[in-house]
Amino acid sequence: MSVRAELRGVARTFADGTRGLLPTDLVLEPGSVTALLGPSGCGKTTLLRLLAGLARPDPGGAVLFDGRDVTDLPVERRNIGMVFQGYALFPHMTVARNIGYGLEARGVPRAQREPRVAEMLRLVRLEALAGRRPDQLSGGQRQRVALARALAPQPALLLLDEPFGALDAALRLALRVELAALLTALRVTAVIVTHDQAEAMALGDGVAVMEGGRIGQRGTPRDIYERPANRFVAGFVGTLNDLGEGRFCRPEALRPDPAGPLEGRVSAAFFDAGRTRLHLAAPGGGEWVLELEPGQAVPERGSALRLALDEKAVLRF
Ligand SMILES: Nc1ncnc2c1ncn2[C@@H]1O[C@H](COP(=O)(O)OP(=O)(O)OP(=O)(O)O)[C@@H](O)[C@H]1O
Ligand SMILES: [Mg+2]
């Protein structure tokens, strides 16, 4: 079912002249999950709306599904599953009816709808709550209904715009794990927009980092972290230590070493999930961050600390 989706020279200029998306080429391989990452206003929702057929590209751009030009095809004929920012469920309908809504709208008879809805309820583990209304659910449960509703009609392309935006951190993490398993099992082509770097890295086979209406870099999560194309991307997907003279490194490239060439002054230490993250005041006035090995002694605040640097891991911009 999953589609190969392509944007070819797709741009979007709004009526007031704002350029929501600059001319963009993007290929989504069938069954791949792409995480779209970038600051507020960089064009993420605009790109999704163009893929969905909720907005038309500027003249000259084309959207292709499996090589077929669908630029003129409206959203209801593109077989898209969507969970957008805010994921509005129908408040007066039960969970089961919400999930079956897309099938009902497409004229699928009840006898075929019911087993599909039951399957979706199992998938998102809400069988016991099928008869409730959205206002009788928790935020995470509502989120799972929205996901099941989008998936029920077996979409060729699943578009998720900040699906966990309204949830607290612990629930986000739990749903992230569930969603990753679900997407792997279903093998549906998917794009998920998130503000959260860790989420993008965890969910996407590929990550696309957007900036100012364009895709700044696309690659595997590892590529983007280890070989970022520019300073913006590097800083956006992880902590970046400025070593001066256009040289930067990740926290992992630094470790305490009395014989090391660098020296900083310890400004703070944070203990987090078994690891200690150390912040140092760098000689140039900036801040360096590194992580201590588990069990390694935490140096006192204000003390000087010499550091070794893994030269192979130095990034230059
Ligand atoms: N209808 C519109 N008219 C004019 N400008 C618009 C319109 N819709 C969006 N924009 C602008 O286009 C740019 C991209 O908007 P978009 O909604 O794609 O951003 P985003 O990356 O999804 O941001 P966020 O993370 O805040 O949701 C923004 O500068 C926005 O203000
Ligand atoms: Mg948006």
Side-chain angles (χ1 to χ4, degrees):
M1 277 307 284
S2 66
V3 76
R4 179 180 192 274
E6 185 177 351
L7 297 181
R8 231 180 246 173
V10 166
R12 171 85 173 144
T13 308
F14 294 105
D16 66 355
T18 304
R19 307 203 65 188
L21 190 72
L22 299 171
T24 294
D25 295 317
L26 179 69
V27 174
L28 307 169
E29 292 299 342
S32 66
V33 179
T34 303
L36 211 54
L37 191 62
S40 184
C42 71
K44 304 180 296 294
T45 298
T46 303
L47 191 152
L48 288 199
R49 289 174 55 83
L50 288 160
L51 270 170
L54 288 165
R56 276 195 68 87
D58 295 349
V63 183
L64 294 96
F65 283 5
D66 290 331
R68 193 165 72 99
D69 192 324
V70 295
T71 315
D72 296 325
L73 218 55
V75 55
E76 63 274 14
R77 296 193 43 212
R78 291 196 191 186
N79 195 16
I80 306 275
M82 282 182 285
V83 180
F84 270 14
Q85 284 171 307
Y87 61 87
L89 297 174
F90 303 113
H92 56 286
M93 290 184 192
T94 62
V95 165
R97 258 201 91 199
N98 262 286
I99 294 176
Y101 180 79
L103 299 168
E104 205 176 323
R106 285 168 210 217
V108 176
R110 176 186 289 260
Q112 283 169 38
R113 259 184 355 240
E114 280 178 354
R116 181 68 184 160
V117 168
E119 189 188 340
M120 288 295 110
L121 283 165
R122 262 196 313 281
L123 195 68
V124 296
R125 297 187 288 107
L126 288 175
E127 298 103 309
L129 305 180
R132 291 217 190 152
R133 286 190 322 271
D135 64 353
Q136 299 167 316
L137 301 176
S138 74
Q141 289 163 345
R142 258 178 255 161
Q143 189 53 55
R144 302 217 292 271
V145 176
L147 201 57
R149 184 177 62 176
L151 288 169
Q154 292 181 288
L157 180 62
L158 181 65
L159 303 175
L160 307 167
D161 197 347
E162 299 252 14
F164 309 141
L167 305 176
D168 68 60
L171 196 52
R172 267 184 101 106
L173 205 61
L175 280 173
R176 181 200 295 174
V177 173
E178 280 179 31
L179 181 62
L182 210 62
L183 291 176
T184 310
L186 296 172
R187 302 198 54 74
V188 55
T189 312
V191 182
I192 174 160
V193 170
T194 171
H195 267 106
D196 182 329
Q197 290 93 310
E199 199 159 279
M201 295 299 197
L203 283 170
D205 307 319
V207 175
V209 184
M210 293 188 70
E211 180 194 11
R214 50 183 291 276
I215 295 175
Q217 188 176 4
R218 183 144 188 253
T220 63
R222 191 178 184 133
D223 269 344
I224 293 204
Y225 184 80
E226 291 179 352
R227 284 179 293 280
N230 56 49
R231 189 173 168 182
F232 171 80
V233 170
F236 202 77
V237 299
T239 302
L240 199 62
N241 293 319
D242 188 344
L243 302 169
E245 295 167 347
R247 286 157 47 90
F248 300 84
C249 75
R250 298 293 187 198
E252 308 81 78
L254 294 176
R255 64 185 163 79
D257 180 350
L262 303 176
E263 186 178 88
R265 198 160 287 280
V266 178
S267 56
F270 299 101
F271 184 75
D272 175 33
R275 292 202 155 249
T276 300
R277 219 169 152 79
L278 214 54
H279 290 241
L280 304 181
E287 185 184 58
W288 294 337
V289 176
L290 67 144
E291 272 184 3
L292 297 177
E293 295 296 321
Q296 212 170 1
V298 180
E300 238 172 272
R301 236 180 102 175
S303 63
L305 186 69
R306 293 207 73 84
L307 302 169
L309 169 68
D310 177 4
E311 282 288 342
K312 292 189 303 299
V314 169
L315 304 165
R316 291 180 174 77
F317 304 116

Short mmCIF file of all heavy atoms in Angstrom, two decimals, residues 109-138:
data_model
loop_
_atom_site.label_atom_id
_atom_site.label_comp_id
_atom_site.label_asym_id
_atom_site.label_seq_id
_atom_site.Cartn_x
_atom_site.Cartn_y
_atom_site.Cartn_z
N PRO A 109 -18.84 -0.31 3.67
CA PRO A 109 -20.00 -0.81 4.41
C PRO A 109 -19.63 -1.26 5.83
O PRO A 109 -18.49 -1.66 6.09
CB PRO A 109 -20.50 -1.99 3.58
CG PRO A 109 -19.50 -2.24 2.52
CD PRO A 109 -18.53 -1.12 2.49
N ARG A 110 -20.61 -1.19 6.72
CA ARG A 110 -20.43 -1.48 8.12
C ARG A 110 -19.74 -2.84 8.36
O ARG A 110 -18.85 -2.97 9.20
CB ARG A 110 -21.78 -1.46 8.83
CG ARG A 110 -21.74 -1.86 10.30
CD ARG A 110 -23.15 -1.94 10.86
NE ARG A 110 -23.74 -0.62 10.98
CZ ARG A 110 -23.80 0.05 12.14
NH1 ARG A 110 -23.34 -0.49 13.25
NH2 ARG A 110 -24.34 1.23 12.20
N ALA A 111 -20.16 -3.86 7.60
CA ALA A 111 -19.63 -5.21 7.79
C ALA A 111 -18.12 -5.26 7.59
O ALA A 111 -17.43 -6.07 8.20
CB ALA A 111 -20.32 -6.19 6.85
N GLN A 112 -17.61 -4.38 6.72
CA GLN A 112 -16.16 -4.34 6.52
C GLN A 112 -15.49 -3.39 7.50
O GLN A 112 -14.32 -3.53 7.82
CB GLN A 112 -15.84 -3.88 5.10
CG GLN A 112 -16.06 -4.95 4.05
CD GLN A 112 -15.99 -4.37 2.65
OE1 GLN A 112 -15.19 -3.49 2.35
NE2 GLN A 112 -16.88 -4.85 1.79
N ARG A 113 -16.26 -2.37 7.91
CA ARG A 113 -15.71 -1.36 8.81
C ARG A 113 -15.41 -1.94 10.17
O ARG A 113 -14.36 -1.69 10.75
CB ARG A 113 -16.74 -0.24 8.99
CG ARG A 113 -16.43 0.94 8.17
CD ARG A 113 -17.33 2.12 8.35
NE ARG A 113 -18.49 2.08 9.20
CZ ARG A 113 -19.73 2.30 8.77
NH1 ARG A 113 -19.96 2.53 7.51
NH2 ARG A 113 -20.73 2.30 9.62
N GLU A 114 -16.36 -2.73 10.68
CA GLU A 114 -16.25 -3.17 12.07
C GLU A 114 -14.98 -3.97 12.37
O GLU A 114 -14.30 -3.66 13.34
CB GLU A 114 -17.53 -3.90 12.49
CG GLU A 114 -18.59 -2.86 12.83
CD GLU A 114 -19.94 -3.43 13.23
OE1 GLU A 114 -20.11 -4.66 13.14
OE2 GLU A 114 -20.81 -2.64 13.62
N PRO A 115 -14.65 -4.97 11.52
CA PRO A 115 -13.41 -5.69 11.83
C PRO A 115 -12.16 -4.80 11.73
O PRO A 115 -11.21 -4.97 12.50
CB PRO A 115 -13.36 -6.80 10.77
CG PRO A 115 -14.39 -6.49 9.77
CD PRO A 115 -15.38 -5.56 10.40
N ARG A 116 -12.20 -3.84 10.82
CA ARG A 116 -11.04 -2.95 10.67
C ARG A 116 -10.90 -2.05 11.92
O ARG A 116 -9.81 -1.82 12.41
CB ARG A 116 -11.21 -2.10 9.41
CG ARG A 116 -10.09 -1.14 9.12
CD ARG A 116 -8.80 -1.85 8.74
NE ARG A 116 -7.72 -0.88 8.55
CZ ARG A 116 -6.44 -1.18 8.59
NH1 ARG A 116 -6.05 -2.44 8.78
NH2 ARG A 116 -5.53 -0.27 8.43
N VAL A 117 -12.02 -1.55 12.39
CA VAL A 117 -12.00 -0.71 13.60
C VAL A 117 -11.50 -1.54 14.79
O VAL A 117 -10.66 -1.07 15.58
CB VAL A 117 -13.39 -0.11 13.88
CG1 VAL A 117 -13.44 0.52 15.27
CG2 VAL A 117 -13.75 0.93 12.82
N ALA A 118 -11.96 -2.80 14.88
CA ALA A 118 -11.51 -3.66 15.97
C ALA A 118 -10.00 -3.89 15.90
O ALA A 118 -9.31 -3.86 16.92
CB ALA A 118 -12.26 -5.00 15.91
N GLU A 119 -9.52 -4.06 14.69
CA GLU A 119 -8.08 -4.27 14.50
C GLU A 119 -7.30 -3.04 14.94
O GLU A 119 -6.26 -3.14 15.62
CB GLU A 119 -7.85 -4.55 13.00
CG GLU A 119 -6.46 -5.01 12.64
CD GLU A 119 -6.26 -5.06 11.12
OE1 GLU A 119 -7.28 -5.12 10.38
OE2 GLU A 119 -5.11 -5.05 10.68
N MET A 120 -7.79 -1.86 14.58
CA MET A 120 -7.14 -0.61 14.95
C MET A 120 -7.16 -0.40 16.47
O MET A 120 -6.19 0.05 17.06
CB MET A 120 -7.82 0.58 14.27
CG MET A 120 -7.57 0.69 12.80
SD MET A 120 -5.83 1.02 12.44
CE MET A 120 -5.37 -0.53 11.73
N LEU A 121 -8.30 -0.74 17.08
CA LEU A 121 -8.41 -0.61 18.54
C LEU A 121 -7.38 -1.49 19.23
O LEU A 121 -6.77 -1.08 20.21
CB LEU A 121 -9.82 -1.00 19.00
CG LEU A 121 -10.90 0.05 18.77
CD1 LEU A 121 -12.29 -0.56 18.92
CD2 LEU A 121 -10.74 1.22 19.75
N ARG A 122 -7.18 -2.71 18.69
CA ARG A 122 -6.16 -3.60 19.25
C ARG A 122 -4.78 -2.99 19.08
O ARG A 122 -3.97 -2.98 19.98
CB ARG A 122 -6.19 -4.96 18.55
CG ARG A 122 -6.96 -6.04 19.30
CD ARG A 122 -6.65 -7.43 18.78
NE ARG A 122 -6.68 -7.56 17.32
CZ ARG A 122 -7.79 -7.67 16.60
NH1 ARG A 122 -8.98 -7.66 17.18
NH2 ARG A 122 -7.72 -7.80 15.28
N LEU A 123 -4.54 -2.48 17.88
CA LEU A 123 -3.23 -1.93 17.53
C LEU A 123 -2.81 -0.83 18.50
O LEU A 123 -1.66 -0.75 18.92
CB LEU A 123 -3.30 -1.36 16.10
CG LEU A 123 -2.01 -1.05 15.39
CD1 LEU A 123 -1.24 -2.32 15.07
CD2 LEU A 123 -2.30 -0.31 14.08
N VAL A 124 -3.75 0.04 18.86
CA VAL A 124 -3.39 1.14 19.76
C VAL A 124 -3.83 0.85 21.20
O VAL A 124 -3.80 1.72 22.05
CB VAL A 124 -3.98 2.49 19.28
CG1 VAL A 124 -3.38 2.89 17.94
CG2 VAL A 124 -5.49 2.45 19.20
N ARG A 125 -4.21 -0.39 21.45
CA ARG A 125 -4.53 -0.89 22.79
C ARG A 125 -5.62 -0.06 23.48
O ARG A 125 -5.47 0.41 24.60
CB ARG A 125 -3.26 -0.96 23.66
CG ARG A 125 -2.25 -1.95 23.05
CD ARG A 125 -1.06 -2.20 23.93
NE ARG A 125 -0.17 -1.06 23.98
CZ ARG A 125 -0.05 -0.25 25.02
NH1 ARG A 125 -0.74 -0.46 26.12
NH2 ARG A 125 0.78 0.74 24.97
N LEU A 126 -6.74 0.12 22.75
CA LEU A 126 -7.86 0.87 23.33
C LEU A 126 -9.16 0.07 23.26
O LEU A 126 -10.25 0.65 23.32
CB LEU A 126 -8.04 2.21 22.60
CG LEU A 126 -6.98 3.28 22.87
CD1 LEU A 126 -7.24 4.50 21.99
CD2 LEU A 126 -6.95 3.70 24.33
N GLU A 127 -9.05 -1.26 23.14
CA GLU A 127 -10.25 -2.09 23.01
C GLU A 127 -11.26 -1.78 24.11
O GLU A 127 -12.46 -1.67 23.85
CB GLU A 127 -9.93 -3.59 23.09
CG GLU A 127 -9.01 -4.12 22.02
CD GLU A 127 -7.61 -4.32 22.53
OE1 GLU A 127 -7.06 -3.37 23.13
OE2 GLU A 127 -7.05 -5.41 22.34
N ALA A 128 -10.76 -1.62 25.32
CA ALA A 128 -11.65 -1.47 26.47
C ALA A 128 -12.37 -0.13 26.47
O ALA A 128 -13.35 0.05 27.19
CB ALA A 128 -10.85 -1.63 27.76
N LEU A 129 -11.87 0.82 25.66
CA LEU A 129 -12.43 2.17 25.71
C LEU A 129 -13.22 2.53 24.45
O LEU A 129 -13.54 3.69 24.22
CB LEU A 129 -11.31 3.20 25.93
CG LEU A 129 -10.43 2.94 27.16
CD1 LEU A 129 -9.36 4.03 27.27
CD2 LEU A 129 -11.26 2.90 28.43
N ALA A 130 -13.56 1.53 23.66
CA ALA A 130 -14.18 1.77 22.35
C ALA A 130 -15.45 2.60 22.43
O ALA A 130 -15.77 3.36 21.52
CB ALA A 130 -14.47 0.44 21.66
N GLY A 131 -16.18 2.48 23.55
CA GLY A 131 -17.47 3.14 23.66
C GLY A 131 -17.41 4.52 24.29
O GLY A 131 -18.44 5.19 24.41
N ARG A 132 -16.21 4.96 24.69
CA ARG A 132 -16.12 6.28 25.33
C ARG A 132 -16.08 7.41 24.31
O ARG A 132 -15.74 7.21 23.16
CB ARG A 132 -14.82 6.34 26.15
CG ARG A 132 -14.86 5.44 27.35
CD ARG A 132 -14.16 6.10 28.50
NE ARG A 132 -13.98 5.15 29.59
CZ ARG A 132 -13.00 5.22 30.46
NH1 ARG A 132 -12.07 6.16 30.35
NH2 ARG A 132 -12.90 4.35 31.42
N ARG A 133 -16.40 8.61 24.82
CA ARG A 133 -16.24 9.80 23.99
C ARG A 133 -14.88 10.42 24.30
O ARG A 133 -14.30 10.20 25.37
CB ARG A 133 -17.33 10.82 24.30
CG ARG A 133 -18.71 10.47 23.75
CD ARG A 133 -19.67 11.68 23.92
NE ARG A 133 -19.42 12.37 25.19
CZ ARG A 133 -20.03 12.05 26.34
NH1 ARG A 133 -20.92 11.08 26.37
NH2 ARG A 133 -19.74 12.70 27.44
N PRO A 134 -14.34 11.24 23.38
CA PRO A 134 -13.01 11.82 23.59
C PRO A 134 -12.85 12.53 24.94
O PRO A 134 -11.78 12.45 25.54
CB PRO A 134 -12.87 12.80 22.42
CG PRO A 134 -13.70 12.19 21.34
CD PRO A 134 -14.88 11.56 22.04
N ASP A 135 -13.91 13.20 25.43
CA ASP A 135 -13.74 13.94 26.69
C ASP A 135 -13.64 13.01 27.90
O ASP A 135 -13.42 13.46 29.02
CB ASP A 135 -14.85 14.99 26.88
CG ASP A 135 -16.23 14.36 27.03
OD1 ASP A 135 -16.35 13.13 26.84
OD2 ASP A 135 -17.18 15.09 27.32
N GLN A 136 -13.80 11.70 27.65
CA GLN A 136 -13.65 10.74 28.75
C GLN A 136 -12.30 10.02 28.67
O GLN A 136 -12.12 8.98 29.29
CB GLN A 136 -14.78 9.71 28.69
CG GLN A 136 -16.16 10.35 28.84
CD GLN A 136 -17.28 9.40 28.46
OE1 GLN A 136 -17.20 8.71 27.46
NE2 GLN A 136 -18.33 9.38 29.27
N LEU A 137 -11.39 10.57 27.88
CA LEU A 137 -10.08 9.94 27.68
C LEU A 137 -8.96 10.84 28.18
O LEU A 137 -9.12 12.05 28.27
CB LEU A 137 -9.83 9.70 26.18
CG LEU A 137 -10.83 8.82 25.42
CD1 LEU A 137 -10.45 8.81 23.95
CD2 LEU A 137 -10.85 7.40 25.98
N SER A 138 -7.81 10.24 28.45
CA SER A 138 -6.62 11.03 28.78
C SER A 138 -6.01 11.55 27.49
O SER A 138 -6.37 11.12 26.39
CB SER A 138 -5.60 10.14 29.49
OG SER A 138 -4.98 9.27 28.56
#
